[in-house]
Amino acid sequence: MNGNRPGTRTLRVTVLVFPGVRLLDVTGPVEVFTSANEFGGRYRVQIVSEDGAAVITSAGTCIGADRAADEVREPSDVLIVPGGPEWETLIKDDVLMDAVRRLSGTAACTASVCSGAFLLAAAGLLDGRRATTHWRFTRRLGLRFPSVRVEPDAIFVRDGTMMTSAGVSSGIDLSLALVEEHYGAAVARAVAKDMVVFMQRPGGQSQFSVRSQIPHSRQELLRRVLDAVAEDPGANHSLAAMARRAGVSARHLTRLFHEETETTPARYVEQVRVEAAQVLLETGDDSMEVVARRTGFGSPESLRRAFVRHLGVTPGAFRTCFRTTGVRHKAPESAGVSG
């Protein structure tokens, strides 16, 4: 896309579906684009499958297709490639990969949702490009396709004509960004309000991945250090203290951290402390002072700086977003409960 407004021309959005596709990866973007038509947008959405037949999603529901992929004659303004739990099998489907390449070749913009990034990467469309996927799979994407420059914390990434987004609902974020590009911020904002979603959600993916990234080490002495930090984040974990615990010099321990975890001792300790604070903020009523003290930060200001640095949100904003849906604090009638 060149950023110019499309005027009165109807924009074509093609969504490629396949057996086992994740339902929200499809319906999220479709809902954004069709809702935009109510606020000044002009989109025509078509669902295509390999052979034009309906497909069964990973949720067990059926999605119909408008036509087969090889029947698409007109170029698309946006091609959406969703993901699915069985992406490792999907990327070995030569017919599906050919469909991805052909449809992308005539599309002005190709966008993946969640593990759909693996399909784009397997098709060779992300070589040398920046990309993201669900936080659980960012490391695997980088290992499987080393030519892809993975950005693990991004909600979505744009690199030229390719866009990739994070897990499941991030397809909505990506689609809203495209609506804003096509028709302006006012239209995108109206769609976001109508769907009751963030126009731009706070923070990145790392706020969802509590304790998922704690590294494993082949070195027994380093494993003892890592475990000690994880078991008691609030204890003294200075470099000197950890080196004494491991029985090695501070320099040697730093080298082990770099070789085994690809991070520094200080950064590892801070990450574990942030993750421990996330758990306390999600599950407890402790004040910020208590959370900071229990997790080794010492002060609310140090806690706040670490949260912003690692997660892109403040501790207060994190607690508000992730502690509860708010249903317990609503009166029955306002929560939609009767009698």
Side-chain angles (χ1 to χ4, degrees):
M1 298 293 173
N2 60 15
N4 295 328
R5 296 290 181 265
T8 59
R9 182 172 69 86
T10 297
L11 300 183
R12 302 184 185 92
V13 177
T14 300
V15 184
L16 177 63
V17 299
F18 41 81
V21 68
R22 192 177 292 276
L23 183 61
L24 188 56
D25 286 10
V26 176
T27 58
V30 168
E31 190 67 26
V32 170
F33 292 120
T34 55
S35 294
N37 291 340
E38 301 177 28
F39 302 100
R42 291 177 62 88
Y43 291 104
R44 188 179 73 199
V45 178
Q46 62 177 348
I47 308 293
V48 304
S49 64
E50 288 183 27
D51 56 4
V55 300
I56 303 299
T57 70
S58 61
T61 55
C62 182
I63 293 181
D66 297 304
R67 55 184 53 85
D70 61 7
E71 294 175 350
V72 177
R73 298 287 180 261
E74 298 174 323
S76 301
D77 293 281
V78 179
L79 169 66
I80 300 291
V81 179
E86 303 301 322
W87 59 265
E88 290 186 276
T89 300
L90 294 170
I91 63 176
K92 299 173 185 176
D93 183 335
D94 292 337
V95 176
L96 179 60
M97 290 296 96
D98 287 343
V100 170
R101 293 187 193 94
R102 193 180 68 77
L103 292 171
S104 177
T106 59
C109 174
T110 298
S112 68
V113 184
C114 196
S115 60
F118 285 90
L119 278 66
L120 298 191
L125 301 176
L126 298 182
D127 290 351
R129 296 182 186 270
R130 296 177 298 111
T132 195
T133 188
H134 192 289
W135 59 263
R136 288 182 180 173
F137 305 126
T138 51
R139 182 173 174 81
R140 294 177 71 178
L141 180 64
L143 291 173
R144 187 100 179 216
F145 302 100
S147 62
V148 179
R149 291 178 285 157
V150 180
E151 297 192 2
D153 194 42
I155 298 297
F156 64 84
V157 171
R158 176 139 195 191
D159 192 330
T161 60
M162 297 292 153
M163 294 183 75
T164 51
S165 62
V168 195
S169 64
S170 63
I172 294 174
D173 301 75
L174 178 150
S175 301
L176 284 169
L178 285 170
V179 170
E180 180 175 6
E181 180 178 307
H182 298 151
Y183 295 105
V187 175
R189 189 176 300 112
V191 175
K193 287 182 177 180
D194 188 61
M195 294 179 63
V196 198
V197 297
F198 287 116
M199 186 169 174
Q200 180 178 348
R201 74 174 80 190
Q205 287 198 81
S206 54
Q207 61 190 305
F208 300 99
S209 55
V210 179
R211 296 197 178 277
S212 66
Q213 303 299 319
I214 292 179
H216 299 282
S217 172
R218 296 167 294 176
Q219 298 283 346
E220 176 62 30
L221 67 88
L222 183 57
R223 281 203 302 271
R224 291 200 304 269
V225 173
L226 300 177
D227 291 344
V229 176
E231 289 168 5
D232 187 5
N236 176 17
H237 297 303
S238 66
L239 178 58
M242 289 191 292
R244 285 195 301 271
R245 190 176 298 125
V248 297
S249 69
R251 183 176 181 179
H252 183 59
L253 182 64
T254 300
R255 184 167 62 250
L256 283 177
F257 260 90
H258 177 73
E259 292 173 352
E260 295 289 318
T261 71
E262 298 182 352
T263 190
T264 66
R267 184 170 179 82
Y268 172 75
V269 171
E270 185 170 86
Q271 179 62 40
V272 171
R273 286 174 170 170
V274 167
E275 292 177 341
Q278 288 177 261
V279 173
L280 293 179
L281 292 170
E282 288 174 349
T283 61
D285 295 316
D286 291 332
S287 66
M288 291 299 171
E289 289 80 4
V290 171
V291 171
R293 185 174 66 251
R294 289 181 61 185
T295 55
F297 285 107
S299 71
E301 179 57 26
S302 295
L303 175 66
R304 188 193 70 80
R305 287 198 300 267
F307 258 62
V308 172
R309 184 161 51 247
H310 286 271
L311 307 181
V313 295
T314 65
F318 179 88
R319 171 174 267 172
T320 299
C321 289
F322 291 101
R323 184 174 176 186
T324 176
T325 61
V327 68
R328 291 181 301 172
H329 305 288
K330 295 182 174 75
E333 60 272 16
S334 64
V337 179
S338 62

